Amino acid sequence: MSNSLLSWVAKKRNEKILEMMNKHLELTTGTLDKLIDSYRLKVKGIEEEAKKSVTKIKEMEKEADEIRRKIAIELTKSDIPPSERTDLMHLNRRLDMITDWVNGAARILAIVQLNNVSKALTNLGMEMVELARDCAYSVKKCLNKLLKDVKDALESADEVERLEEKIDEKYLEVRKMYSSLEEPNVKASEAILITQFFDAVEQVADSCENTIDLIRIIAVRIA
């Protein structure tokens, strides 16, 4: 660990804030685990269990939002230099955007029907959701490493980018299959909701990448 990083981490308020952000990410990754469960249940047509899973996502999102507010308060009353405070404020908001998009996807999933959609499309959708989950876990790994080794943190940042690119590829494949939603057993309103769901999942990955961009800036400052 570099001397500058040791000095930065030695500021207990910085460490406390990053630990709170890590807790936020624990909830975020948890919502994505639940989103995978919800998606699988919806594909199988197990509606009641899917609703319970989506409700859990909403509860976790509320808890994450409360942590976001606590972090903002902690930053406001801290003696952190303005440049560092600004970076951490933006990081706090970007972390919250990941959870917001997961919750947005869950809200759509709660009302959409997937058991009549082609298996090829739902399988591809599952790959997207799983990659989004992996992307969020990699963001969490990156933030954890920021307190230990900047080089390792930057390597985890690269991993997030690779996963985001894979999601983009899957998203393109999904969009190419939207024409299959014109089947008689899929209503036009359902088709619109399905496309919005996949849009939200893609936004989860984009939010992960945006978060990593800011973590890179912080890493360079403290390296």
Side-chain angles (χ1 to χ4, degrees):
M1 186 183 292
S2 68
N3 289 334
S4 56
L5 180 57
L6 278 168
S7 175
W8 193 83
V9 173
K11 298 174 184 177
K12 291 301 182 182
R13 197 177 296 276
N14 278 358
E15 185 175 12
K16 178 181 178 181
I17 289 168
L18 287 180
E19 286 174 353
M20 291 170 70
M21 288 181 176
N22 185 58
K23 174 61 178 174
H24 188 292
L25 273 169
E26 285 180 8
L27 288 165
T28 300
T29 52
T31 62
L32 279 157
D33 286 331
K34 279 294 178 184
L35 188 65
I36 290 172
D37 292 341
S38 305
Y39 184 87
R40 186 177 291 113
L41 290 165
K42 292 291 290 192
V43 170
K44 292 179 179 179
I46 308 174
E47 297 296 329
E48 286 304 314
E49 289 301 314
K51 286 180 181 178
K52 291 178 183 178
S53 187
V54 167
T55 298
K56 183 62 178 177
I57 291 172
K58 292 178 182 178
E59 292 171 355
M60 295 169 78
E61 190 272 339
K62 286 182 180 179
E63 186 177 350
D65 202 44
E66 180 61 30
I67 292 174
R68 176 190 61 79
R69 286 191 288 269
K70 288 179 180 178
I71 292 170
I73 292 171
E74 193 71 24
L75 284 167
T76 300
K77 61 184 185 180
S78 73
D79 56 356
I80 298 173
S83 61
E84 291 182 14
R85 185 187 299 113
T86 299
D87 286 345
L88 291 172
M89 281 285 195
H90 286 313
L91 179 57
N92 186 33
R93 181 57 190 145
R94 290 190 187 186
L95 291 174
D96 199 55
M97 284 298 296
I98 302 173
T99 320
D100 285 350
W101 279 112
V102 177
N103 192 41
R107 287 200 302 268
I108 297 169
L109 195 59
I111 57 177
V112 75
Q113 296 294 320
L114 292 176
N115 55 315
N116 291 328
V117 178
S118 70
K119 187 174 181 180
L121 180 55
T122 54
N123 284 349
L124 198 55
M126 176 59 80
E127 290 179 39
M128 265 191 77
V129 179
E130 288 175 343
L131 282 167
R133 183 268 316 275
D134 294 345
C135 209
Y137 269 103
S138 292
V139 173
K140 182 174 180 291
K141 186 192 304 181
C142 183
L143 189 63
N144 278 332
K145 289 181 177 180
L146 191 63
L147 289 173
K148 301 172 185 176
D149 191 297
V150 171
K151 183 179 178 181
D152 283 349
L154 292 174
E155 287 177 359
S156 291
D158 292 340
E159 182 182 345
V160 173
E161 283 197 346
R162 287 192 294 270
L163 287 167
E164 194 275 336
E165 288 171 2
K166 287 182 179 179
I167 291 174
D168 280 347
E169 292 170 4
K170 295 296 180 184
Y171 183 53
L172 181 59
E173 291 182 51
V174 165
R175 287 172 64 89
K176 288 178 179 178
M177 297 183 70
Y178 282 168
S179 59
S180 67
L181 296 174
E182 297 177 1
E183 301 168 358
N185 56 343
V186 180
K187 297 178 182 178
S189 57
E190 291 289 336
I192 291 170
L193 288 170
I194 290 168
T195 61
Q196 290 178 339
F197 170 76
F198 290 123
D199 288 347
V201 174
E202 196 268 341
Q203 286 293 332
V204 171
D206 282 351
S207 295
C208 286
E209 186 177 38
N210 291 338
T211 302
I212 284 302
D213 288 342
L214 191 48
I215 291 178
R216 279 198 177 102
I217 291 172
I218 294 171
V220 169
R221 286 187 188 277
I222 66 178

